[in-house]
Amino acid sequence: MSVTLNTKFTAGFIADHEFTSIEPEAARAFRLLKSHTGPGSDFLGWMDLPVAYDKEEFARIKVAAARIQKSCDILVVLGIGGSYLGARAAIEFIKSPLYNNLKKDTPDIYFAGNNISTTALNELLSICEGKDLCVNVISKSGTTTETAIAFRVFQSLLISKYGEKEAAKRIFATTDRRKGTLKELSDRCGYETFTVPDDVGGRFSVLTAVGLLPIATAGIDIDAMMQGAADARAQLSDESLFSNDALRYAAARNILMRKGKKVEILVGYEPYMLMLNEWWKQLFGESEGKDQKGILPDSVVFSTDLHSLGQFIQDGSRILFETVVNIQNPGSTFEIPSDPENADGLNFLAGKTLDEVNKTAMLGTLFAHTDGGVPNMILEVSDRTAYSFGYMVYFFELACAVSGYMLGVNPFDQPGVESYKKNMFALLGKAGYEHEREQLAQRMK
Amino acid sequence: MSVTLNTKFTAGFIADHEFTSIEPEAARAFRLLKSHTGPGSDFLGWMDLPVAYDKEEFARIKVAAARIQKSCDILVVLGIGGSYLGARAAIEFIKSPLYNNLKKDTPDIYFAGNNISTTALNELLSICEGKDLCVNVISKSGTTTETAIAFRVFQSLLISKYGEKEAAKRIFATTDRRKGTLKELSDRCGYETFTVPDDVGGRFSVLTAVGLLPIATAGIDIDAMMQGAADARAQLSDESLFSNDALRYAAARNILMRKGKKVEILVGYEPYMLMLNEWWKQLFGESEGKDQKGILPDSVVFSTDLHSLGQFIQDGSRILFETVVNIQNPGSTFEIPSDPENADGLNFLAGKTLDEVNKTAMLGTLFAHTDGGVPNMILEVSDRTAYSFGYMVYFFELACAVSGYMLGVNPFDQPGVESYKKNMFALLGKAGYEHEREQLAQRMK
């Protein structure tokens, strides 16, 4: 298996009988999922996606990616939340966080339309000057403010740069299959479209066209990624948390939460984990953070952050547990050189690989943090291949859904995301929000 | 004043009499600082730094930065924790998070020696191929593992590329004034050195040579930055939290913590805030996270993360409060274009600036989150100039020190950072750690 859970370091925090005792809850949660009888069961498309995905569209994604690779220097991907985090996580994890700065034969990829920053938009426009561009706009409705504003700007830029006909070949829309402003606009303008499935929520959508088109454009093997997810689906089918590690992870989280561990920190030891951490934070935070409940998802990259948040984790308020993602095979190697003078006293490391030292820092930290009262789980991941990424995505999605049902929430909705939007539209004078506008005006007096 | 605290949105969470009631504690904490009689008082150099800094060295920093600008394509900055977060935060905040990707007449700046990642090191080496390089190595002792390993690699790269004599002109060491391996090595090899002051801890060191040399190299006005800090020092001198906003911020944090708000989220609405958030997390986390106490510092960038962590903040477990950093003047402008067809329904925004929409998203979110039970403070910051950055740094440092004394900790030590290092050295077979090595070996059986 490409991803396994190692609970060696939780021994002092979770007794075996606690796992036994909570197992029926985990099994019940998993059965709710499989029988499509739990809350939010209209959004379970992610469960069978790795085998039941649209093969015709998948083939079109590869063709489109090849066309994008050939025709531009920069692919601008417009989307927010689940419409960008998965693709960005995959590209950083499998390729590099410095993807745009490395020499390569695939286009640079910039993610935009995920904020309302003047600076960010102006800077990206200046980076795009004189470059050949393609755009992938990702929005189920087409009306998401951040993404729609950016698309207005980039659509008009491409039309003025290439003319309507050529621009149409350079714009790819990932949106609703049938309806919505973006779908209608795309059909009218002749943009190729891909589908955001009706039964897959944004945060579960990385293995749909939402994630796959940018990922394939970066030169990543999306067949291998789907195979990894398919194997995870097959191998994580058991209802026992003693044989199904996704269930065991879900169970351990709930045991720790009920003991007052209110924050889970996802820990990586590689800078290429940064956006995977962010993807994971959306997945768990948006699925579980409701009904005034949930474990707050947080993240760090060590050893970097051992020199910033390390002190708090070691000795601060005891509300934390950590889940360490250990990438077993680093993919490349670097041997620490010897120095005849040994001025820095580092020769005890000479001849060791850098990854040996990194893994030893991890082991030393596992001992230190558990000694300090912070429960630690380890998620062992074989490597940073597309296959393992797909496997890990499915592992986390399944664990998240099971954990959410154990917590007693609907893991597939996000009602709280509308609250700020409603106020924003009211304050901006959007039609239909007159009543809210008046109420807010009263409060601002 | 360049930075002020707006507590309008805490009204429902903190009564006026609570501020009055806690004021003597805040005043006492500030007096402990000013009289140098609190714990950790050997590390109060940051307090007078904005006026008492070493003017001769400051002038040398500017000369060195000009030389680096002229002689290289890439400045590689080696340092971890406080030895890189401040400079990186400043460059991203004042220049751009895409600094390296933008056209400019200053060198690219890469931060390394802050992890043990094989991939990160190999990638940076490939980026450096064929480029002219300078190195700024930052370590008080010279023995910090992450930084020392990277320095071994880059020192030897520069020597093999340029020869010893020319390499010596391209290596700049920021280290102890008198002693330590890096100081000795630098003197022997003829590297220009700058000082990590004895009485300024890493996380308080951004306005020393530690931060200033990379910051000046990026073309930032370090005189203005010091002036901002000096003005903050002069204006934040009062012992009343009704006239000193840094004290008021420290007081509000402690009031909220004592009511069960265990996590503070620093909120920015600009991607250029990301590393400032990380700098702030080290400052507060490392200062307060001890004796099994402290507020866990967390951070987000909105509106981006309203579509990932927004749900949790709105409706999840009620352990949070937010501090929103509002950059009043965005520095540049962008007007949202009108579209004759209005296909996306966005014409109600046409003619507005993007920043108006961003600020309205902020206001809408402030209402939404406080309605959801999350106390919100606003830190109003005039703009993203070097002056305001310096002012804000001093504001946060002072607030952090006062808050730490109110919490009853020593805000200036970090004993917990040693725990993982001790284990790591033992496991790696470093001389002097034989006993610990044997103990860990027993536990690993």
Side-chain angles (χ1 to χ4, degrees):
Chain A
M1 292 196 203
S2 192
V3 176
T4 55
L5 185 72
N6 175 345
T7 49
K8 192 165 58 181
F9 282 91
T10 58
F13 302 94
I14 306 177
D16 284 345
H17 68 257
E18 293 181 271
F19 279 118
T20 310
S21 162
I22 208 169
E23 188 179 26
E25 286 185 49
R28 180 183 159 276
F30 196 14
R31 282 196 301 273
L32 274 182
L33 271 180
K34 288 196 282 194
S35 61
H36 289 222
T37 52
S41 59
D42 288 345
F43 293 92
L44 296 178
W46 59 271
M47 290 187 74
D48 291 331
L49 191 68
V51 289
Y53 63 91
D54 180 340
K55 309 294 185 299
E56 179 273 332
E57 178 178 69
F58 195 82
R60 273 202 302 125
I61 289 172
K62 290 197 257 185
V63 173
R67 223 170 78 215
I68 295 169
Q69 286 170 349
K70 263 186 225 139
S71 58
C72 70
D73 307 305
I74 296 176
L75 170 66
V76 178
V77 179
L78 306 177
I80 190 166
S83 297
Y84 96 101
L85 281 167
R88 191 162 170 198
I91 292 168
E92 297 207 359
F93 184 84
I94 299 162
K95 291 287 180 177
S96 169
L98 292 173
Y99 171 82
N100 284 345
N101 300 77
L102 291 169
K103 290 184 198 81
K104 60 194 173 298
D105 50 12
T106 48
D108 283 356
I109 298 178
Y110 283 92
F111 293 89
N114 58 52
N115 57 54
I116 322 177
S117 163
T118 307
T119 310
L121 181 58
N122 281 331
E123 284 179 353
L124 182 54
L125 289 170
S126 88
I127 287 171
C128 287
E129 264 171 37
K131 305 282 186 180
D132 272 316
L133 305 175
C134 285
V135 170
N136 179 201
V137 53
I138 306 170
S139 173
K140 187 149 178 75
S141 66
T143 58
T144 306
T145 311
E146 290 84 348
T147 306
I149 292 175
F151 184 56
R152 233 179 219 218
V153 173
F154 278 94
Q155 183 194 29
S156 120
L157 174 66
L158 261 68
I159 290 174
S160 71
K161 189 178 169 90
Y162 297 110
E164 289 211 357
K165 205 173 146 188
E166 172 65 17
K169 293 184 193 157
R170 292 172 174 274
I171 295 175
F172 301 81
T174 308
T175 185
D176 192 273
R177 186 186 302 273
R178 277 170 295 269
K179 58 182 198 303
T181 49
L182 183 55
K183 175 62 179 165
E184 287 159 26
L185 178 82
S186 300
D187 287 348
R188 204 165 62 239
C189 298
Y191 306 153
E192 182 166 5
T193 60
F194 299 91
T195 299
V196 184
D198 289 329
D199 58 355
V200 179
R203 60 190 175 274
F204 289 84
S205 72
V206 54
L207 300 178
T208 71
V210 170
L212 293 175
L213 182 56
I215 291 170
T217 301
I220 292 167
D221 181 349
I222 60 173
D223 288 293
M225 190 175 283
M226 294 307 280
Q227 189 58 52
D231 288 354
R233 178 179 167 279
Q235 290 165 16
L236 301 169
S237 59
D238 218 87
E239 284 175 21
S240 162
L241 51 83
F242 296 96
S243 50
N244 184 335
D245 280 3
L247 263 57
R248 189 171 175 85
Y249 174 52
R253 300 178 78 248
N254 278 279
I255 292 169
L256 293 170
M257 183 197 65
R258 294 175 195 178
K259 294 188 190 199
K261 302 302 176 189
K262 295 171 186 302
V263 180
E264 176 177 11
I265 305 184
L266 196 72
V267 178
Y269 276 80
E270 293 282 351
Y272 62 69
M273 297 274 306
L274 190 74
M275 290 307 296
L276 181 76
N277 288 350
E278 294 300 314
W279 171 84
W280 173 90
K281 279 157 74 173
Q282 181 191 14
L283 181 66
F284 280 83
E286 202 163 270
S287 299
E288 294 194 323
K290 50 196 69 161
D291 304 337
Q292 315 219 328
K293 292 193 286 194
I295 300 167
L296 179 71
D298 196 1
S299 66
V300 292
V301 172
F302 288 163
S303 64
T304 309
D305 294 335
L306 284 169
H307 293 248
S308 59
L309 283 170
Q311 168 65 38
F312 193 107
I313 300 172
Q314 186 69 49
D315 286 338
S317 159
R318 303 295 72 185
I319 56 171
L320 311 170
F321 68 97
E322 292 175 285
T323 299
V324 179
V325 178
N326 176 34
I327 310 299
Q328 295 173 322
N329 182 343
S332 67
T333 189
F334 190 94
E335 191 182 304
I336 297 172
S338 183
D339 176 1
E341 299 186 30
N342 196 26
D344 52 16
L346 277 187
N347 272 357
F348 74 102
L349 298 178
K352 290 193 161 65
T353 67
L354 201 53
D355 199 57
E356 274 178 83
V357 179
N358 204 23
K359 297 285 197 287
T360 309
M362 184 185 76
L363 187 58
T365 306
L366 283 161
F367 278 115
H369 287 183
T370 51
D371 286 350
V374 179
N376 266 256
M377 287 183 272
I378 309 168
L379 209 64
E380 303 282 358
V381 177
S382 312
D383 51 43
R384 56 186 292 218
T385 57
Y387 176 91
S388 290
F389 182 87
Y391 199 110
M392 185 167 47
V393 159
Y394 196 90
F395 182 99
F396 277 131
E397 289 178 348
L398 179 59
C400 178
V402 169
S403 183
Y405 279 161
M406 291 177 76
L407 182 66
V409 299
N410 175 354
F412 305 110
D413 67 358
Q414 53 282 332
V417 178
E418 299 310 310
S419 310
Y420 95 90
K421 290 188 200 171
K422 206 180 61 186
N423 289 343
M424 179 176 75
F425 291 143
L427 292 165
L428 287 169
K430 189 173 181 178
Y433 291 84
E434 292 76 8
H435 179 62
E436 287 85 354
R437 183 180 172 82
E438 206 169 297
Q439 285 184 317
L440 288 172
Q442 285 298 324
R443 293 172 67 181
M444 284 162 71
K445 271 180 187 165
Chain B
M1 294 198 202
S2 192
V3 177
T4 55
L5 185 72
N6 174 346
T7 50
K8 191 166 56 181
F9 282 90
T10 59
F13 302 95
I14 306 177
D16 283 346
H17 67 257
E18 293 181 90
F19 278 118
T20 310
S21 162
I22 209 170
E23 189 180 25
E25 287 186 49
R28 181 184 159 275
F30 196 15
R31 283 196 300 273
L32 274 182
L33 271 179
K34 288 195 282 193
S35 61
H36 289 225
T37 52
S41 59
D42 288 346
F43 292 93
L44 296 178
W46 58 271
M47 290 186 73
D48 291 331
L49 191 67
V51 288
Y53 63 90
D54 179 339
K55 310 293 186 298
E56 178 274 332
E57 179 178 68
F58 195 81
R60 274 204 301 124
I61 288 172
K62 291 197 255 185
V63 173
R67 224 171 75 217
I68 294 169
Q69 288 170 347
K70 263 186 225 140
S71 57
C72 70
D73 308 305
I74 297 177
L75 169 66
V76 178
V77 179
L78 306 177
I80 192 167
S83 296
Y84 95 101
L85 281 167
R88 191 162 168 199
I91 293 168
E92 297 206 357
F93 184 85
I94 299 161
K95 291 289 180 174
S96 168
L98 292 173
Y99 171 81
N100 283 345
N101 300 76
L102 291 169
K103 291 185 198 83
K104 60 193 172 297
D105 51 11
T106 48
D108 284 355
I109 298 178
Y110 283 92
F111 293 90
N114 58 52
N115 57 54
I116 321 177
S117 163
T118 307
T119 309
L121 182 57
N122 281 331
E123 284 179 353
L124 181 55
L125 289 170
S126 88
I127 286 172
C128 287
E129 264 171 37
K131 305 280 187 182
D132 272 316
L133 305 175
C134 286
V135 169
N136 178 203
V137 54
I138 306 169
S139 173
K140 187 150 179 73
S141 67
T143 58
T144 305
T145 311
E146 290 84 348
T147 305
I149 292 175
F151 184 57
R152 236 180 214 213
V153 174
F154 278 93
Q155 183 194 30
S156 121
L157 174 66
L158 260 68
I159 290 174
S160 71
K161 189 177 170 92
Y162 297 109
E164 289 209 358
K165 205 173 145 190
E166 172 66 16
K169 294 184 194 156
R170 291 173 174 273
I171 296 175
F172 301 81
T174 308
T175 186
D176 192 273
R177 187 186 303 272
R178 279 170 294 268
K179 60 181 197 303
T181 49
L182 183 55
K183 176 62 180 164
E184 288 159 25
L185 178 81
S186 300
D187 287 348
R188 205 165 62 241
C189 297
Y191 306 153
E192 181 165 5
T193 61
F194 299 91
T195 298
V196 184
D198 289 329
D199 57 356
V200 180
R203 59 189 174 275
F204 288 85
S205 72
V206 54
L207 300 178
T208 72
V210 169
L212 294 174
L213 182 55
I215 291 170
T217 302
I220 293 166
D221 181 349
I222 59 173
D223 287 292
M225 191 175 284
M226 294 307 278
Q227 188 60 51
D231 288 353
R233 178 179 167 279
Q235 290 166 15
L236 302 169
S237 59
D238 217 89
E239 284 176 23
S240 162
L241 50 82
F242 296 96
S243 50
N244 185 335
D245 281 2
L247 262 58
R248 189 172 174 86
Y249 174 52
R253 300 177 79 248
N254 278 278
I255 292 169
L256 293 170
M257 184 196 67
R258 294 176 195 177
K259 294 189 189 198
K261 303 302 178 190
K262 295 169 185 304
V263 180
E264 176 177 10
I265 305 183
L266 196 72
V267 178
Y269 276 80
E270 292 283 351
Y272 61 68
M273 298 274 307
L274 190 74
M275 290 307 296
L276 181 77
N277 287 350
E278 294 300 314
W279 171 84
W280 173 90
K281 280 158 74 173
Q282 181 191 14
L283 180 65
F284 280 84
E286 203 163 270
S287 299
E288 295 194 323
K290 50 197 68 163
D291 306 337
Q292 314 219 329
K293 293 192 285 194
I295 300 168
L296 178 71
D298 196 0
S299 65
V300 292
V301 173
F302 289 163
S303 66
T304 308
D305 293 336
L306 284 170
H307 294 248
S308 60
L309 284 170
Q311 168 65 38
F312 193 108
I313 299 171
Q314 186 68 50
D315 285 339
S317 159
R318 303 293 73 187
I319 55 171
L320 311 170
F321 68 96
E322 292 174 284
T323 300
V324 179
V325 178
N326 177 34
I327 310 299
Q328 295 172 325
N329 181 344
S332 67
T333 190
F334 190 95
E335 191 183 303
I336 297 172
S338 183
D339 177 359
E341 299 187 31
N342 195 24
D344 52 15
L346 277 187
N347 272 357
F348 74 103
L349 298 178
K352 290 193 161 63
T353 67
L354 201 53
D355 199 57
E356 275 178 82
V357 179
N358 203 23
K359 296 286 197 287
T360 309
M362 185 186 77
L363 186 58
T365 305
L366 283 161
F367 279 114
H369 287 184
T370 50
D371 287 349
V374 179
N376 267 256
M377 285 182 273
I378 309 167
L379 210 64
E380 303 282 358
V381 177
S382 313
D383 51 43
R384 54 185 294 219
T385 57
Y387 176 90
S388 290
F389 182 86
Y391 199 110
M392 185 168 47
V393 159
Y394 197 90
F395 181 99
F396 277 132
E397 288 178 349
L398 178 59
C400 178
V402 169
S403 182
Y405 279 162
M406 291 178 76
L407 181 66
V409 299
N410 175 351
F412 306 110
D413 68 357
Q414 53 283 330
V417 179
E418 298 309 310
S419 311
Y420 94 92
K421 290 188 198 170
K422 207 180 60 185
N423 289 342
M424 178 176 76
F425 291 143
L427 292 165
L428 287 169
K430 189 173 182 178
Y433 292 85
E434 292 76 8
H435 178 63
E436 287 85 353
R437 181 178 172 85
E438 207 171 295
Q439 285 184 316
L440 287 173
Q442 284 299 324
R443 293 173 67 181
M444 284 162 71
K445 270 180 188 164

